[in-house]
Amino acid sequence: QVKLVESGGAVVEPGGSLTLTCVPSDSTFVIYSSHIMGWFRQAPGKEREFVAAVTWRNNKKFYAESVKGRFTIFRDAHYNAVSLQMNSLKADDTAVYYCARNTYGSMHADGLKYADWGRGTQVTVTS
């Protein structure tokens, strides 16, 4: 069962911006303070890679080196939502972006520690 729903993917020109949003698929999905919410992406022919994560307890944020300074992850504890603001987009950012929940509370960059995933949203950066 898909527990998270991503939105906001689109076709954008290099240098452009997008904001992706992730919300629970229903009200039974709860993000506890010990959890971490993350964004991953997978480009065609490549493995899935970590993009960004945020701890729900204290809003600590983590980023992959490739997006640091360009992407910002936000959490909204009231709506159990997490967003990814992406600026200065490059062609290399083209991928399907996935939102996921880590219930281990650690190893934020390890996709295997995330049990709940969305179906993804496509981001295409092209001129």
Side-chain angles (χ1 to χ4, degrees), residues 11 18 43 49-50 54 67 74 76 80 85 90 95 122 127:
V11 178
L18 279 177
E49 64 174 358
F50 168 75
V54 59
V67 306
F74 295 97
D76 185 330
N80 270 350
Q85 171 69 44
K90 307 174 182 178
Q122 176 70 48
S127 54

Side-chain angles (χ1 to χ4, degrees), residues 96-117:
V96 177
Y97 284 71
Y98 299 91
C99 172
R101 180 178 67 172
N102 172 329
T103 59
Y104 284 84
S106 63
M107 303 183 73
H108 58 270
D110 184 352
L112 295 177
K113 300 303 181 185
Y114 290 75
D116 302 305
W117 294 79

Side-chain angles (χ1 to χ4, degrees), residues 1 6 11 25 30 32 44-46 59 72 81 95 97 99 109 117 122:
Q1 181 184 1
E6 304 95 338
V11 178
S25 59
V30 179
Y32 292 101
K46 296 185 177 180
N59 201 27
T72 304
Y97 284 71
C99 172
W117 294 79
Q122 176 70 48

Side-chain angles (χ1 to χ4, degrees), residues 9-18 86 89-91 93-94 123-127:
V11 178
V12 62
E13 293 185 347
S17 299
L18 279 177
M86 306 186 295
L89 284 162
K90 307 174 182 178
D93 295 319
T94 295
V123 172
T124 302
V125 184
T126 181
S127 54

Side-chain angles (χ1 to χ4, degrees), residues 4-7 17-24 31 35-39 50-63 67 69-87 98-100:
L4 295 163
V5 179
E6 304 95 338
S7 62
S17 299
L18 279 177
T19 298
L20 307 182
T21 300
C22 171
V23 297
I31 304 173
H35 294 168
I36 297 172
M37 294 299 294
W39 286 95
F50 168 75
V51 176
V54 59
T55 63
W56 218 245
R57 175 179 286 116
N58 55 11
N59 201 27
K60 186 174 182 181
K61 302 177 181 183
F62 306 90
Y63 298 96
V67 306
R70 300 187 298 122
F71 290 13
T72 304
I73 189 169
F74 295 97
R75 68 173 174 87
D76 185 330
H78 180 73
Y79 292 105
N80 270 350
V82 60
S83 299
L84 185 68
Q85 171 69 44
M86 306 186 295
N87 297 325
Y98 299 91
C99 172

